[in-house]
Amino acid sequence: MAIPYYLKISYPSDLKDPKEKTIYRFFEVLPGALSWLTLIGVFIISWLAPFWAAVFIICFVIYWLFRTIYFSFHLNACYRQMRKHEKIDWIKKLNQLSPQKYSLPIKDWRKLYHLVICPMYKEPIEIIRETFRSLVNTDWPKENMIVVLTYEERGGVETERTAKLIEEQFKNKFFKFLITRHPANLPGEIAAKGSNDAWGSRQAKEKIIDQLSIPYQNIIVSSLDADTVVFPRYFSCLAYHYLAVKNPLRASFQPVPLFINNIWQAPPISRIFAFSASFWEMMCQERKEKLKTFSSHSMPFQALVDVGFRQVNVVSDDSRIFWQCFLKYDGDYRVIPLYYPISMDANVAPSFLRTMRNVYKQQRRWAYGAADIAYYFFGFIKNKKIPLKRAFSLGLTDFETFWSWATNSIVIFLMGWLPLVLGSGTFRQTLLSYNLPIFTRNILTISMVGLVASAFFSILLLPPKPIKLGRKRYLILVLEWFLLPIIMIFFTSFPALDAQTRLMLGKYMGFWPTEKFRKK
C-alpha cells in the first residue's frame, strides 16, 4: 500500500506546491507567534487596560489553582494504578486469557515476539550493560525476544568497542541478537535517535523477521532509549494488553517513564526536572484520550512497516511516529496507557554548570516537539477521512500544551505586578490595585499544595538510598521543591520559547543527544 506523501514531510522544502509550502510554513510559525503575542500582550494590556489585566490575572491564578488540584488527583490515581500493575503476575493472566478473546488471530501468546530496538551513540558501557541486564531479567521467555543494538558510526571507535562488548556478553541470551552500525551522513537523514532507530528496525526486518517469515502482527516493537531499564514484568504486561485490547494494530503502548536511575547523583535542579517529567507523564496516563507516545514506548511492528518506519530527519521522532500512524489510519489510532513503569537517567553531567546547560538543552529539544503541530495540522487538511472532532480535539490539546509550556510561568510571574508598574496613576489608587498582589500571592500559596504532593510522590518513587547518604537527604529532597516556581521560568518557559522561536524563524534545530553520566 502506497504511503501518502504528507506522511513523509519534515520541512516545507519537502513540498513541491508553493501553496502547500506556505500553508505548512504558516503552521510552523503559529506556535512561536502565539506565544510571543501572548507575552507582548501581557505588557500592552497592563499598560493600556490595567483593570482588565488585573481581572485576567485573578481569573488565571484561580484557573491555575484548580488545574493544580486536577493534576494532583490524576497523579495520585496513576501512582496507585502503577503500583497495582507492578504486583500483577502478567504471565499468569496471559495463561488465563482465552485465545477466543484475543484481538488478533494468534492461537497462543507464546507465538508473540518482542522486538527491542536500542539505539546508542556514546553512552558509557555501564549504562548499556544495565539496560541489557534488565532485558535478561524480565519474565518474558527469551526465546521470544529479538534484540537489536544499533550504534552510530559517528560515535567512533569507542562506541563500536562498547557495542562489540555488549554483543559478546548478551548475544546468547535471546532468540536473536543483532548488532548493526548506522552509517553516518546518509542522504536525507539528520544525526538523531530516530534515524538510528529506523535503520535498526529495517535491518531487523530484512535480516531476521522476513527470513524467518514471522507474521508482522505477531511482533511488538519496543523503542528504548539507551539508558532505559525495563522492570521485570514489562514485556508480559505489554503482551497482555496487546492481546486483550480492542484492535491492537491501531494502538501504541506507553509505559510510565521514571527518570530515577541516577536520581541520588543529580543536583537539585536536575532532580526536580527529572521528577517533574515523570509526574507529567504519570498524569498523562490518566488522560488516555489525549495521550501521545513519549521516549521509550512500544507499538505493533505491522504499524511501523505500514508508515514506512520512523522519519529519519526529525528531532522529536517519539511523538512524530504517533502522528504518522494517526494520519495513516485516518484517525483510527490511539495510545494505550500501561500504568507500568520503566526507568531512565536524570540529567547529570560531570559538573554543575554543565548539568544546568544540559537540562536547558534537553528541555529545548523536548519543546521542539512543537514542530509536530505543522505536521499534523497539514495532515488534517490533506486527509479528509479523519473525523474533524477527533482531529482537532487531539491537535488543539497538544497545541495548548506547547503554548502553556512557553508562556504560563512567565505570565504568572509578570502579571502579578505589571499592572501596578505600567498602569495609570488612577488605577494604582483603586482597591483592586491594592488587593491584586495580595490575592495572587494567597492563591499561589494555596497552589503550593501541588508542591507538597510532588514532594510526597518523589519520596515514594525514589530508588534505595545509597548507604553513604544520611537521612537528612530526604529533608533536602522536600525543600528542593520550593525552587520550582523560579526554575519553571528559566528552565521550562525559556527553553520552550527558544525552541518555538527557532521554529518560527525557520532556524531548524538538529538533534541534541543528552549526555549520559553516572558518578562512580
Side-chain angles (χ1 to χ4, degrees), residues 43-227:
F43 283 87
I44 293 176
I45 193 175
S46 297
W47 172 41
L48 298 179
F51 173 82
W52 291 111
V55 171
F56 171 80
I57 193 60
I58 289 172
C59 294
F60 191 83
V61 294
I62 292 175
Y63 157 77
W64 189 263
L65 172 62
F66 283 104
R67 180 186 173 100
T68 300
I69 295 172
Y70 170 75
F71 282 136
S72 296
F73 278 116
H74 276 328
L75 178 60
N76 178 62
C78 179
Y79 176 80
R80 292 179 181 276
Q81 191 79 339
M82 184 177 71
R83 290 311 189 202
K84 177 182 176 182
H85 278 208
E86 283 186 87
K87 297 176 182 178
I88 293 175
D89 185 341
W90 294 100
I91 293 291
K92 181 178 179 180
K93 286 182 70 71
L94 282 167
N95 286 325
Q96 294 173 344
L97 183 63
S98 170
Q100 286 73 33
K101 294 184 179 180
Y102 288 1
S103 298
L104 294 168
I106 301 175
K107 302 302 181 184
D108 188 347
W109 65 264
R110 295 172 185 83
K111 294 183 179 180
L112 199 62
Y113 290 86
H114 284 287
L115 169 63
V116 180
I117 308 293
C118 183
M120 66 166 286
Y121 177 38
K122 290 184 176 181
E123 292 80 9
I125 190 169
E126 295 80 11
I127 290 178
I128 305 297
R129 185 179 287 124
E130 184 177 2
T131 295
F132 276 78
R133 281 175 178 165
S134 73
L135 298 178
V136 173
N137 291 334
T138 59
D139 63 353
W140 186 257
K142 304 307 173 292
E143 59 270 20
N144 288 68
M145 288 186 69
I146 303 169
V147 180
V148 179
L149 176 61
T150 175
Y151 68 94
E152 293 282 5
E153 180 184 51
R154 60 191 176 91
V157 176
E158 187 62 29
T159 297
E160 183 173 10
R161 179 176 176 272
T162 297
K164 296 294 184 182
L165 289 172
I166 294 296
E167 179 186 32
E168 182 180 338
Q169 182 174 353
F170 293 97
K171 64 181 178 181
N172 296 322
K173 303 292 186 180
F174 309 101
F175 171 60
K176 293 291 181 181
F177 184 99
L178 177 65
I179 180 173
T180 181
R181 180 178 64 183
H182 177 221
N185 304 316
L186 289 177
E189 287 192 0
I190 64 171
K193 175 199 165 190
S195 56
N196 193 4
D197 190 294
W199 173 268
S201 301
R202 287 190 175 97
Q203 293 292 304
K205 176 180 179 296
E206 176 186 337
K207 296 181 178 180
I208 299 175
I209 296 168
D210 288 348
Q211 288 189 14
L212 295 176
S213 299
I214 303 175
Y216 295 166
Q217 65 183 11
N218 287 31
I219 302 171
I220 315 172
V221 56
S222 296
S223 174
L224 303 183
D225 289 353
D227 59 333

Side-chain angles (χ1 to χ4, degrees), residues 276-301:
S276 296
S278 302
F279 294 160
W280 175 256
E281 292 303 316
M282 289 173 68
M283 291 184 289
C284 286
Q285 294 264 316
E286 286 293 305
R287 305 170 72 207
K288 60 189 70 176
E289 73 283 356
K290 310 293 185 184
L291 190 58
K292 300 183 303 179
T293 46
F294 172 76
S295 190
S296 297
H297 62 273
S298 305
M299 63 183 296
F301 189 69

Side-chain angles (χ1 to χ4, degrees), residues 433-452:
S433 171
Y434 175 78
N435 287 316
L436 177 62
I438 299 174
F439 179 83
T440 54
R441 183 186 66 236
N442 291 341
I443 293 297
L444 292 177
T445 300
I446 297 173
S447 298
M448 297 287 276
V449 66
L451 294 185
V452 175

